[in-house]
């Protein structure tokens, strides 16, 4: 299975990225550099499970001097990925006081897990504490801590094999494969209030394995959890100022980076201006990605007004119970969407879909547009 140039794991296609020989050469490089620094003492190597087990095994085979080995285990549960919660399942070893400790990680990208690792050792009296990683995604690393040793720098692509997994599969591959993103689909979904945008986004994300990024949800999460970006956004909002585009883009960037296994993204609520559309294009371009289509769910105002007024009876939302407020929201949508329509039409990416009918019928109309994308 792992001797071919392409493989399929579950619903994803992967292409060969690093051969077994290239990986083992990188392992030897790390082992040699650490051996030169610690040949006169007995360091403790601490592997990070689950991903680093193959790296630790081959590293130890190439380390020529006395040493000890232990493991820690951290788990970021899939259902909580967007919260950044990391749970410690296997704690630090007991005999590390006054010792040199070298963390052995399989891969370092944004540095979120690394923050928790450093925290684990922050209250210990180790002689010194170093970080070694086989793979290092330097272009997305936050730079908070020094990476003392690494086997090789790699681009910001989702990889599997040699201990790294996709949905817990692929860890046993001897080579490393990167996801084939030629079929990635990134969408911007437009629609007036009541057009069913949220409902359709829910169906599309399941059908095409997309991640639905609602700007409103992202803002609420960051503010509720008091993240740095949430604090920054709230500081503007408390003064009655608009949150700068770069703050919103940073939040979206975090969401994209948290979901490397997604086959694409649905952006909902962003962009709202041409400046934001340009900023989104620039960000995606830096990730070797792009918006493939913007789709507007179209419906007659009177139909949507009746739908919203009916919804307001059960939802309790005051803005769904006042026809004048609803019409004002429609007008605001028209004013904001018009220049965006021109922006994406100039790129040949704007599509209009009839948003009236049964949910399944509307999903089918959207799917016909999406299935033509490349």
């Amino acid at each position: 299975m792992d001797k071919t140039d392409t493989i399929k794991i579950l619903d994803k296609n992967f292409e060969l990225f690093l051969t077994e020989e290239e990986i083992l050469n990188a392992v030897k490089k790390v082992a040699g550099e650490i051996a030169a620094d610690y040949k006169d003492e007995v360091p403790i190597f601490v592997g990070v499970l689950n991903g680093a087990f193959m790296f630790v095994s081959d590293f130890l085979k190439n380390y020529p001097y006395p040493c000890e080995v232990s493991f820690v285990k951290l788990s970021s549960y899939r259902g909580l990925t967007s919260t950044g919660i990391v749970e410690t399942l296997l704690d630090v070893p007991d005999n590390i006081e006054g010792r040199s400790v070298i963390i052995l990680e399989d891969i370092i990208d944004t540095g979120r897990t690394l923050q928790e690792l450093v925290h684990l050792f922050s209250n210990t009296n180790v002689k010194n504490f170093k970080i070694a990683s086989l793979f290092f995604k330097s272009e997305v690393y936050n730079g908070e801590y020094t990476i003392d040793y690494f086997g090789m720098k790699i681009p910001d692509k989702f990889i599997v094999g040699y201990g790294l997994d996709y949905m817990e599969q692929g860890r046993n591959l001897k080579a490393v494969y990167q996801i084939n993103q030629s079929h990635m689909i990134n969408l911007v979904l437009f629609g007036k209030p009541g057009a069913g945008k949220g409902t359709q986004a829910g169906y599309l994300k399941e059908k095409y394995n997309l991640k639905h990024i609602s700007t409103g949800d992202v803002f609420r999460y960051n503010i509720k959890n008091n993240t740095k970006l949430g604090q920054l956004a709230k500081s503007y909002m408390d003064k009655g100022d608009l949150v700068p585009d770069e703050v919103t883009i940073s939040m979206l960037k975090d969401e994209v980076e948290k979901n490397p296994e997604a086959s694409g993204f649905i952006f909902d609520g962003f962009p709202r201006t041409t400046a934001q559309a340009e900023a989104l294009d620039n960000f995606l371009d830096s990730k070797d990605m792009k918006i493939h289509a913007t789709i507007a769910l179209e419906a007659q105002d009177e139909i949507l007004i009746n739908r919203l007024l009916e919804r307001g009876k059960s939802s309790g939302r005051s803005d769904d119970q006042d026809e004048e407020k609803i019409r004002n929201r429609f007008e605001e949508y028209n004013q904001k969407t018009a220049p965006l329509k021109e922006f994406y039409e100039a790129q040949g990416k704007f599509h209009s879909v009839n948003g009236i009918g049964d949910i399944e019928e509307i999903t089918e109309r959207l799917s016909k547009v999406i299935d033509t994308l490349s």
Side-chain angles (χ1 to χ4, degrees), residues 135-330:
F135 303 123
F136 180 31
K137 294 183 178 180
S138 59
E139 62 189 76
V140 296
Y141 179 56
N142 63 24
E144 188 170 356
Y145 307 104
T146 299
I147 309 303
D148 302 285
Y149 309 95
F150 61 86
M152 65 172 67
K153 292 183 180 181
I154 61 172
D156 185 26
K157 299 281 189 179
F158 185 73
I159 59 174
V160 65
Y162 198 73
L164 294 156
D165 74 298
Y166 169 57
M167 303 292 282
E168 292 302 329
Q169 293 191 25
R171 294 190 191 275
N172 58 319
L173 298 171
K174 296 179 181 179
V176 166
Y177 293 78
Q178 68 178 12
I179 194 165
N180 185 340
Q181 293 183 319
S182 61
H183 300 295
M184 175 174 269
I185 302 169
N186 298 308
L187 307 172
V188 174
L189 200 57
F190 292 123
K192 290 180 181 177
K197 187 159 49 83
T199 299
Q200 290 302 323
Y203 281 96
L204 295 176
K205 74 176 184 179
E206 294 298 328
K207 182 173 182 178
Y208 295 99
N209 190 32
L210 306 178
K211 171 67 178 177
H212 179 207
I213 299 181
S214 166
T215 310
D217 291 344
V218 172
F219 264 81
R220 284 186 286 274
Y221 160 74
N222 278 276
I223 292 172
K224 179 181 178 181
N225 290 278
N226 204 34
T227 67
K228 291 181 180 179
L229 288 172
Q231 294 173 14
L232 185 57
K234 192 172 185 298
S235 70
Y236 287 99
M237 296 163 69
D238 288 345
K239 292 184 290 186
D241 296 334
L242 293 174
V243 177
D245 290 348
E246 56 264 29
V247 177
T248 307
I249 282 287
S250 293
M251 290 184 183
L252 297 183
K253 180 179 179 180
D254 277 356
E255 292 301 308
V256 169
E257 290 175 348
K258 289 173 189 173
N259 295 277
E261 77 282 1
S263 295
F265 298 88
I266 302 174
F267 295 97
D268 176 0
F270 191 94
R272 293 180 181 270
T273 66
T274 52
Q276 291 179 351
E278 290 171 351
L280 181 60
D281 278 356
N282 290 335
F283 158 58
L284 292 176
D285 185 61
S286 72
K287 308 284 291 183
D288 197 24
M289 296 162 57
K290 66 179 180 178
I291 293 296
H292 293 84
T294 60
I295 307 177
L297 282 172
E298 304 287 4
Q300 295 176 353
D301 287 0
E302 299 308 316
I303 294 176
L304 294 181
I305 289 171
N306 290 333
R307 186 184 291 177
L308 289 171
L309 290 173
E310 192 64 30
R311 185 175 77 178
K313 294 177 182 178
S314 57
S315 71
R317 288 180 53 173
S318 60
D319 56 350
D320 284 350
Q321 298 171 4
D322 187 319
E323 183 173 332
E324 184 178 351
K325 288 182 178 179
I326 292 172
R327 291 190 183 276
N328 287 339
R329 288 157 67 193
F330 287 176

